[in-house]
């Protein structure tokens, strides 16, 4: 019988082997990149699989039955993820966000959450530990996630109208089940819950007002995200982007809004509140108002490649270090070196290049490093 070879690395995305400095100082939490941006936020993708096939992220034509997702041996183990998280925290990371794919598809995710909830800052403070989900499995998992130490969740929801929602997730998943998941998350105390709606002109922009009305007057924060040119498979076009300014104008015409200050440095969303006290909304305007200057996020892919930008075409192979005979100090030093040389600002450059301007390089897919 022929031997079955399971590839241990995914060669779809290039990654360089990080340089391990010999004489590195231990992390002091004050790491800054070439543009003076500190490292504060780590997004960890725990699976490249998803049970939805949203056209802007994992279009069915590409991610079909023949598509080969990463084999289990390629994924970072929970121990490897926790070790990496500790090193990033030593460098100043204060927020850990688990992403995917759909993170709740990763088996025993609550075990990882329990491990990560034990990681503390140098001053002994807990981290902001959160997760982004499509909500499909939330009703079943909310309580166990909370008990494991998860603090809050962000749920992706692109429409309230069932037909529009089913069309967008492209697997005929009913919106009612996601809404039940949100209710369960609220009951379990996984708040403040954020709801992310990707707005695609001509596809779901008619859902802006129904979504705003639905979440108005609740503690949930609805955020509208401009449709972005992530990855290489979603056929992005500028004319399908509805600028956030228009989203705000549409809602403001019905319920007066006023801007709020950012709640933390590097926050991606611009915050607005209803003047009559009906709560808060946000807009994430990556296309029309780039916020690269404050970008303090790093992304760790499912198989341990470190990406410094959502639109990067190349990562840094941290898994090789985690699985090699390197000490924590050496790996932390390598991470420090990588972050210090970072000068990514894709969205800013896209704006400078003009409406249709990509970088011309193949970009990493969002399901592989999380949004
Ligand atoms: S384009 Fe890259 S650098 Fe700019 S905000 Fe997005 S992730 Fe950060």
């Amino acid at each position: 019988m022929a031997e079955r070879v399971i590839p241990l690395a995914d060669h779809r995305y290039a990654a360089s082997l990080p340089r391990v400095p010999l004489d590195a100082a231990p992390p002091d939490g004050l790491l800054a990149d070439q543009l003076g941006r500190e490292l504060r936020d780590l997004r960890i993708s725990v699976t490249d699989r998803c049970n939805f096939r949203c056209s802007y992220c994992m279009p069915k034509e590409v991610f079909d039955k023949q598509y080969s997702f990463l084999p289990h041996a390629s994924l970072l183990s929970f121990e490897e993820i926790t070790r990496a998280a500790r090193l990033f925290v030593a460098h100043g990371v204060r927020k850990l966000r688990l992403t995917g794919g759909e993170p709740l598809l990763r088996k025993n995710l609550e075990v990882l959450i329990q491990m990560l909830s034990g990681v503390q800052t140098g001053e002994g403070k807990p981290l902001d530990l959160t997760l982004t989900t499509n909500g499909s499995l939330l009703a079943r998992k909310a309580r166990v996630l909370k008990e494991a130490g998860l603090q809050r969740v962000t749920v992706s929801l692109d429409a309230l109208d069932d037909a529009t929602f089913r069309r967008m997730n492209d697997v005929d998943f009913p919106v009612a089940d996601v809404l039940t998941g949100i209710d369960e998350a609220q009951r379990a105390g996984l708040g403040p819950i954020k709801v992310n709606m990707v707005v695609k002109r001509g596809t779901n922009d008619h859902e802006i007002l129904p979504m705003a009305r639905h979440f108005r007057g609740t503690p949930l924060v609805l955020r509208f995200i401009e449709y972005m040119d992530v990855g290489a498979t979603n056929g992005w076009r500028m004319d399908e982007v509805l600028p956030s300014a228009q989203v705000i104008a549409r809602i403001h015409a019905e319920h007066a809004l006023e801007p709020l200050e950012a709640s933390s440095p590097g926050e991606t969303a611009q915050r607005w509140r209803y003047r009559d006290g009906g709560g808060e909304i946000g807009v994430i305007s990556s296309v029309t108002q780039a916020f690269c200057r404050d970008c303090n996020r790093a992304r760790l892919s499912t198989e341990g490649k470190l990406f410094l930008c959502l639109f990067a075409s190349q990562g840094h192979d941290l898994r090789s270090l985690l699985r090699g005979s390197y000490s924590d100090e050496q790996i932390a030093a390598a991470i420090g070196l990588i972050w210090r040389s970072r000068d990514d600002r894709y969205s800013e450059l896209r704006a400078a290049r003009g409406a249709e301007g990509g970088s011309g390089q193949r970009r990493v897919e969002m399901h592989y490093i999380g949004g």
Side-chain angles (χ1 to χ4, degrees):
M1 201 170 85
E3 225 181 330
R4 190 162 162 244
V5 177
I6 299 177
L8 287 182
D10 185 334
H11 298 295
R12 282 171 288 190
Y13 303 109
S16 58
L17 199 63
R19 196 157 70 75
V20 181
L22 290 174
D23 56 346
D28 57 7
L30 300 171
L31 198 58
D33 73 5
Q34 294 289 304
L35 302 176
R37 300 170 294 191
E38 293 169 334
L39 174 56
R40 290 286 176 260
D41 186 334
L42 179 66
R43 298 182 181 208
I44 304 169
S45 172
V46 293
T47 176
D48 60 340
R49 292 162 201 259
C50 187
N51 52 344
F52 285 9
R53 285 293 176 272
C54 305
S55 61
Y56 58 77
C57 183
M58 291 182 77
K60 219 177 209 168
E61 309 73 58
V62 179
F63 299 93
D64 57 11
K65 287 204 171 68
Q66 273 71 51
Y67 188 84
S68 40
F69 289 96
L70 294 169
H72 192 75
S74 283
L75 312 189
L76 288 188
S77 68
F78 291 170
E79 288 73 20
E80 287 166 340
I81 291 174
T82 307
R83 183 181 178 204
R86 272 208 183 88
L87 303 178
F88 277 92
V89 169
H91 273 305
V93 160
R94 293 294 172 264
K95 179 157 114 186
L96 297 178
R97 176 179 295 281
L98 301 182
T99 69
E102 169 48 43
L104 299 187
L105 290 180
R106 178 85 185 247
K107 221 170 145 198
N108 301 324
L109 188 74
E110 58 278 9
V111 175
L112 174 64
I113 288 171
Q114 202 163 23
M115 291 164 77
L116 291 174
S117 68
V119 180
Q120 295 186 328
T121 68
E123 304 85 50
K125 293 195 182 129
L127 301 169
D128 183 8
L129 182 56
T130 180
L131 173 151
T132 298
T133 172
N134 64 23
S136 59
L137 301 169
L138 201 48
R140 258 189 278 156
K141 301 243 174 156
R143 198 151 296 277
V144 69
L145 294 173
K146 178 68 185 178
E147 283 165 7
L150 189 70
Q151 289 159 6
R152 57 193 182 87
V153 288
T154 297
V155 182
S156 305
L157 177 64
D158 293 335
L160 273 184
D161 171 62
D162 193 50
T164 308
F165 185 71
R166 286 177 192 254
R167 209 170 31 251
M168 287 189 78
N169 65 54
D170 214 8
V171 292
D172 209 28
F173 195 88
V175 73
D177 290 13
V178 176
L179 295 174
T180 306
I182 293 174
D183 289 345
E184 283 303 321
Q186 254 187 304
R187 253 193 291 276
L190 286 170
I193 297 175
K194 290 177 182 158
V195 176
N196 282 350
M197 173 183 177
V198 173
V199 180
K200 212 172 158 185
R201 193 201 291 267
T203 300
N204 67 336
D205 60 314
H206 61 284
E207 285 290 291
I208 291 171
L209 286 174
M211 287 279 285
R213 287 178 200 130
H214 184 84
F215 291 108
R216 210 178 102 79
T218 73
L220 284 81
V221 179
L222 174 61
R223 303 173 335 152
F224 301 91
I225 302 177
E226 286 179 348
Y227 170 46
M228 287 184 277
D229 48 337
V230 282
T233 54
N234 73 0
W236 180 86
R237 295 201 326 260
M238 185 65 195
D239 59 8
E240 289 181 318
V241 178
L242 185 78
S244 294
Q246 291 186 36
V247 173
I248 293 297
R250 285 192 199 181
I251 299 171
H252 183 73
E254 186 170 291
H255 294 287
L257 290 166
E258 60 190 16
L260 285 170
E261 292 290 312
S263 56
S264 60
E267 190 174 30
T268 50
Q270 290 165 304
R271 301 169 61 214
W272 294 77
R273 72 166 176 194
Y274 293 107
R275 274 198 202 141
D276 65 0
E280 181 181 329
I281 62 165
V283 286
I284 300 178
S285 322
S286 168
V287 178
T288 61
Q289 291 173 58
F291 39 76
C292 298
R293 290 289 150 162
D294 296 322
C295 181
N296 54 17
R297 292 176 294 286
R299 292 174 160 86
L300 191 58
S301 81
T302 317
E303 56 170 349
K305 289 177 185 168
L306 175 62
F307 287 85
L308 304 180
C309 177
L310 180 55
F311 300 91
S313 51
Q314 173 144 1
H316 303 265
D317 182 10
L318 277 195
R319 191 186 61 185
S320 291
L321 303 190
L322 291 164
R323 293 187 180 173
S325 53
Y326 294 95
S327 67
D328 283 358
E329 292 69 26
Q330 288 175 309
I331 301 177
I335 293 169
L337 213 56
I338 293 168
W339 187 265
R340 271 189 211 98
S341 64
R342 173 189 192 238
D343 61 0
D344 300 69
R345 51 191 187 102
Y346 178 89
S347 289
E348 235 180 63
L349 296 174
R350 179 212 298 112
R353 271 191 298 267
E356 306 292 337
S359 64
Q361 291 182 320
R362 186 180 183 217
R363 297 183 293 272
V364 63
E365 296 297 334
M366 191 161 66
H367 73 104
Y368 175 77
I369 54 166

